[in-house]
Each structure stands twice: as structure tokens, then as C-alpha cells.
């Protein structure tokens, strides 16, 4: 019975492997932390699809190197470096090309114009009315008629531009809207 528990909890390893796991974890954790700081960090809610894929790829390489004694640290560190480097090159390419940016990160979509919800655009983005209302409430919007434009950003957040209330100074300027979206909104 004790042998069975040993197999379940330690596998073929003896208890001294716990120190190796500890050492591997410390090395890989701080190595990955340094690379992530170099890449620039965002919260999970702000991650683009490319960045989310980066997190998954690095997580896989990190996890294997932490727990498997037959996975040497240097190849795992090289794999993590290559994934991070590839991501950095992709970031440069995305910044230098609007087309690549749209392909890899998407583009903002106007989902409300003058208080009118564009259900077809919500459906294409996989968002229901309940989630839209939640996002509007987070911006303090209680009435759709107050919304001039609501823009679903490429990272999934909602930007809300409201009508000016009488006597209030405002910051609304149409360049805050994507030019192609502004053309579409003016035609409606």
C-alpha cells in the first residue's frame, strides 16, 4: 500500500527530486519573469489573441521543464526564448503594417450608433445583449440614448462615447473612431 502511494505521489522519483523541482521552478520562474517584463505585460483582459497564444506556449514550455526530470533546463529555456523572440518579431511586424495588425489582432467595431444596437455586429463578435449591457453598466450607462458610439475594441473592451449634456464641455472628436468605421456610421 505504501509503495502504491509512493508511485502515485512521486512516480519513479525519490523524495530528493522535490529539491530539484524547487530549484527548476526558481530558475524557470525568474527567467520567464525577466522575458515577460522584456515583452511588456498586460492583464489577461487586455491580451490580444497573439499575446494569449504566447502565454499558452510559454506556459507549456515552463511546465514541462519544472516537473519532468528528463527535460533539461537549457533546451526548455531556449524554447521559451524562441517563443518570446518570435512574439517580439511579430509585434514589430504588426506595428509596421496595419494589414498585419488587423489580421493578427483584429480591429475595433462600432456596436452602437446613436443609441441603436447593431445586433449583427455583436453576433459576429460572439457577444450577447447581456454581456453588452454589463459592459455598458461598467461605464455608468443606464440609457442607450446617451450613447453616441460604443466601440468593441480588438482586445474585447468596450469604449463608450456619449452625447454631451447641456452645459458640459466634452472631449468627443470623431478621430477617436476608426476611419473606416466612421464612414460606415455616417452612412447609416
Amino acid at each position: 500500500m505504501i509503495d502504491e502511494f509512493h508511485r502515485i505521489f512521486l512516480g519513479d522519483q525519490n523524495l530528493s527530486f522535490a529539491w530539484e523541482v524547487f530549484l527548476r521552478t526558481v530558475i524557470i520562474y525568474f527567467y520567464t519573469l525577466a522575458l515577460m517584463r522584456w515583452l511588456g505585460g498586460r492583464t489577461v483582459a487586455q491580451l490580444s489573441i497573439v499575446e494569449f497564444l504566447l502565454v499558452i506556449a510559454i506556459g507549456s514550455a515552463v511546465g514541462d521543464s519544472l516537473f519532468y526530470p528528463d527535460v533539461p533546463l537549457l533546451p526548455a529555456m531556449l524554447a521559451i526564448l524562441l517563443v518570446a523572440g518570435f512574439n517580439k518579431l511579430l509585434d514589430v511586424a504588426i506595428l509596421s503594417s496595419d494589414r498585419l495588425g488587423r489580421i493578427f489582432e483584429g480591429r475595433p467595431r462600432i456596436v452602437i450608433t446613436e443609441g441603436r444596437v447593431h445586433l449583427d455586429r455583436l453576433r459576429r463578435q460572439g457577444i450577447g445583449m447581456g454581456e453588452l449591457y454589463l459592459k455598458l453598466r461598467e461605464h455608468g450607462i443606464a440609457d442607450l440614448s446617451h450613447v453616441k458610439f460604443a466601440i468593441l475594441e480588438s482586445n474585447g473592451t468596450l469604449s463608450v462615447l456619449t452625447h454631451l449634456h447641456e452645459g458640459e464641455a466634452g472631449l468627443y472628436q470623431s478621430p477617436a473612431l476608426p476611419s473606416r468605421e466612421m464612414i460606415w456610421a455616417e452612412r447609416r
Side-chain angles (χ1 to χ4, degrees):
M1 179 76 148
I2 291 181
D3 289 337
E4 198 61 23
F5 280 121
H6 187 275
R7 184 191 61 77
I8 291 170
F9 287 104
L10 295 174
D12 295 334
Q13 306 301 322
N14 58 30
L15 200 53
S16 66
F17 182 65
W19 287 109
E20 184 177 339
V21 169
F22 176 79
L23 182 62
R24 287 169 171 265
T25 301
V26 168
I27 292 169
I28 292 296
Y29 177 81
F30 286 106
Y31 174 77
T32 306
L33 180 65
L35 281 177
M36 295 305 285
R37 296 281 299 158
W38 175 63
L39 291 172
R42 296 189 196 184
T43 64
V44 173
Q46 297 172 316
L47 292 179
S48 69
I49 292 170
V50 173
E51 292 164 330
F52 186 68
L53 181 61
L54 169 73
V55 170
I56 291 171
I58 287 180
S60 175
V62 166
D64 289 348
S65 64
L66 295 181
F67 300 112
Y68 300 119
D70 55 335
V71 176
L73 287 181
L74 287 180
M77 292 170 77
L78 178 61
I80 294 166
L81 180 65
L82 290 173
V83 168
F86 183 69
N87 186 73
K88 204 64 163 167
L89 289 175
L90 191 56
D91 282 346
V92 170
I94 287 170
L95 288 173
S96 67
S97 167
D98 288 338
R99 184 174 184 194
L100 285 177
R102 283 191 311 275
I103 289 170
F104 286 105
E105 295 186 339
R107 62 182 178 146
R109 303 282 182 173
I110 294 176
V111 293
I112 299 175
T113 305
E114 299 294 342
R116 189 176 56 118
V117 176
H118 303 291
L119 292 172
D120 58 326
R121 288 180 168 222
L122 281 179
R123 269 188 242 113
R124 271 186 265 151
Q125 298 302 314
I127 294 180
M129 288 300 293
E131 186 175 351
L132 177 66
Y133 289 148
L134 178 136
K135 289 175 181 275
L136 288 169
R137 286 190 302 272
E138 288 174 346
H139 286 279
I141 303 296
D143 186 346
L144 282 175
S145 67
H146 296 152
V147 178
K148 182 162 184 70
F149 293 106
I151 303 145
L152 185 62
E153 304 293 350
S154 59
N155 65 0
T157 60
L158 187 72
S159 298
V160 180
L161 304 174
T162 59
H163 291 283
L164 294 179
H165 298 291
E166 197 170 319
E168 290 184 8
L171 298 176
Y172 171 77
Q173 294 178 356
S174 60
L177 295 173
S179 58
R180 288 185 180 170
E181 295 292 311
M182 191 63 198
I183 293 167
W184 180 86
E186 289 172 349
R187 278 191 260 149
R188 297 271 168 159

